[in-house]
Amino acid sequence: MNKLDRKAVQYCREICNRQVLQLRKRNGKEIWDFPAIAVACNAKNTPIYVDHSRGVREQHVYDPLKSELKRIGNIGESSRICSYILGRCAEQHAANKLLKKHKKELNDIYFSKAYRPKTLQVFDYCDNCLYLFSNLK
Amino acid sequence: MRKFREEYLRTRDIDWFIKNGKYHIHATSIRGDLPDIINDREYIMAMYKKVYDLHEIYQPEEIAINLDFIKRTIFKDLQGIELYTAIRNYLPWFVNMARKGFISFDRTNIEDFKDNEYHIVAFPIDITSQNLRLLSDMAIKQTKKDNILYDYIISHKNNISENQETLLKEFNKCKICHCDNKRTLNLISIFQ
């Protein structure tokens, strides 16, 4: 298992522990629903970033990811390529975190496998992400 | 009653709970739909808390794992140590729920969110009246028709044997269910 996959698996365990901690605290906050997918990414000379599948707001997406997403559809809607909502994928969120701090191109970014946090099953990458990130092929 | 929006369900892996006759069902949605009867944010949140507080009422040797199906369908592309590592990562969530008294299902085709076929992962072999009493206090929503799952569950219960899978390690006390590897159910349409 490479370091990206190890980091992604570690993040999955943190996700599972997070819900347990919230349930223990019962501090009035809504219990967090498990995300479906978690992933890790990095580029040359950057740390590893992790994130999970969740909602998106266009104003929080950074270039070059934002401009590439807009090539294939509207952020927050299904794309021309596949039925998954643009901007919501774990891969896109993790890459966005990296792009917020580092000036990189999308084909500079490497990813772990896409894991289901509860069971560590591996998901296939969706067609949107395969189009956006050449290193996913 | 606040429903989950479809876009939200596609990014989440939600545990949902329902009662059918004497069977208490747990299922994980993994990007799929929820039955209308339990698509209620307050209900789901309340159930998370109640289930978390439940003690485990079954020992591992009182739980059966649907191992043949998991090997042949969920992890059909894996073999050897890689297969058993994947299975040992897959089981804990569902075995934990089964030990609390639930028949624990997972959505089978995780790549296609429109496919609402589910399979049993783990279940208690004998559901005693004592255990039913503990779960009946939880106000789990009941399906309209009783015992829809009776034949399906009985077919699993009738195909249980001792566990000779040494590579299952922490699950080696659980029994093994040898059920037909094509047995799935569309829980969403059944419970509508």
Side-chain angles (χ1 to χ4, degrees):
Chain A
M1 190 182 273
N2 64 34
K3 63 179 179 179
L4 277 174
D5 282 322
R6 276 198 298 275
K7 190 70 178 173
V9 168
Q10 181 190 340
Y11 181 56
C12 288
R13 301 208 194 283
E14 286 170 12
I15 286 171
C16 291
N17 287 336
R18 179 173 166 178
Q19 199 195 51
V20 170
L21 286 171
Q22 270 197 320
L23 284 161
R24 273 194 202 143
K25 280 184 191 173
R26 305 284 175 91
N27 56 3
K29 284 186 185 170
E30 213 168 58
I31 305 299
W32 189 56
D33 289 316
F34 271 93
I37 301 176
V39 79
C41 75
N42 70 355
K44 197 175 177 185
N45 299 325
T46 74
I48 296 176
Y49 293 87
V50 290
D51 214 324
H52 58 265
S53 55
R54 54 192 170 86
V56 63
R57 291 189 183 180
E58 186 172 332
Q59 60 266 37
H60 297 155
V61 182
Y62 298 92
D63 277 320
L65 179 61
K66 189 172 187 173
S67 49
E68 284 302 315
L69 285 170
K70 286 186 166 184
R71 275 177 189 262
I72 54 174
N74 297 322
I75 296 173
E77 296 174 15
S78 301
S79 76
R80 289 194 296 278
I81 299 174
C82 89
S83 53
Y84 287 110
I85 305 286
L86 277 179
R88 287 184 168 237
C89 292
E91 294 87 340
Q92 292 162 31
H93 277 290
N96 197 45
K97 263 189 185 172
L98 187 153
L99 293 169
K100 184 179 177 182
K101 300 265 176 79
H102 308 278
K103 194 172 178 183
K104 296 287 179 187
E105 296 301 320
L106 297 188
N107 57 11
D108 293 332
I109 303 175
Y110 294 88
F111 293 86
S112 68
K113 297 188 186 102
Y115 290 98
R116 179 186 180 188
K118 270 183 198 159
T119 62
L120 298 183
Q121 281 167 281
V122 173
F123 277 90
D124 293 337
Y125 303 115
C126 74
D127 288 337
N128 288 334
C129 292
L130 288 170
Y131 171 85
L132 291 164
F133 305 110
S134 57
N135 288 326
L136 282 182
K137 291 184 178 56
Chain B
M1 179 167 143
R2 236 185 346 146
K3 283 183 177 269
F4 290 97
R5 287 176 296 117
E6 185 184 335
E7 310 91 76
Y8 184 82
L9 291 176
R10 299 294 170 250
T11 62
R12 297 288 154 172
D13 189 2
I14 294 175
D15 293 281
W16 52 276
F17 303 90
I18 203 165
K19 192 177 167 194
N20 178 245
K22 68 174 182 178
Y23 301 124
H24 294 82
I25 306 296
H26 158 256
T28 51
S29 68
I30 189 58
R31 302 201 293 189
D33 296 323
L34 298 179
D36 281 345
I37 187 175
I38 54 94
N39 189 351
D40 174 347
R41 191 158 187 80
E42 284 76 28
Y43 170 75
I44 298 265
M45 293 294 123
M47 287 308 304
Y48 276 151
K49 293 171 190 173
K50 289 179 189 176
V51 173
Y52 176 76
D53 286 340
L54 274 179
H55 293 294
E56 289 161 350
I57 49 181
Y58 289 97
Q59 298 301 315
E61 47 271 22
E62 296 172 297
I63 301 298
I65 298 170
N66 195 7
L67 189 65
D68 284 5
F69 183 93
I70 293 168
K71 275 186 188 175
R72 290 178 200 160
T73 307
I74 307 302
F75 298 114
K76 61 181 186 293
D77 297 328
L78 302 180
Q79 291 175 7
I81 299 290
E82 206 182 340
L83 168 64
Y84 281 91
T85 303
I87 292 174
R88 287 171 53 221
N89 285 326
Y90 181 72
L91 288 176
W93 197 262
F94 304 100
V95 170
N96 183 45
M97 287 296 177
R99 290 189 64 190
K100 294 189 177 194
F102 292 94
I103 297 173
S104 191
F105 285 80
D106 190 21
R107 201 169 69 82
T108 306
N109 184 357
I110 61 174
E111 299 292 350
D112 182 0
F113 59 79
K114 293 176 190 150
D115 183 339
N116 288 313
E117 295 290 321
Y118 281 74
H119 61 276
I120 290 180
V121 181
F123 57 97
I125 297 168
D126 272 314
I127 299 170
T128 66
S129 56
Q130 181 200 356
N131 300 334
L132 284 176
R133 204 165 44 244
L134 287 168
L135 290 175
S136 65
D137 292 339
M138 287 178 60
I140 302 176
K141 289 194 181 183
Q142 178 98 27
T143 55
K144 289 173 191 169
K145 293 179 192 172
D146 268 357
N147 298 323
I148 304 167
L149 301 182
Y150 179 80
D151 290 338
Y152 181 76
I153 291 169
I154 289 296
S155 70
H156 285 74
K157 288 194 172 192
N158 289 342
N159 284 285
I160 292 173
S161 67
E162 291 298 316
N163 186 348
Q164 291 168 348
E165 301 270 356
T166 53
L167 292 178
L168 280 183
K169 297 192 182 180
E170 60 269 41
F171 301 103
N172 60 6
K173 289 184 182 174
C174 298
K175 300 288 190 288
I176 302 297
C177 170
H178 303 282
C179 210
D180 185 333
N181 66 352
K182 288 186 169 53
R183 293 300 304 273
T184 59
L185 281 182
N186 188 324
L187 290 189
I188 305 304
S189 60
I190 283 176
F191 292 146
Q192 289 295 27

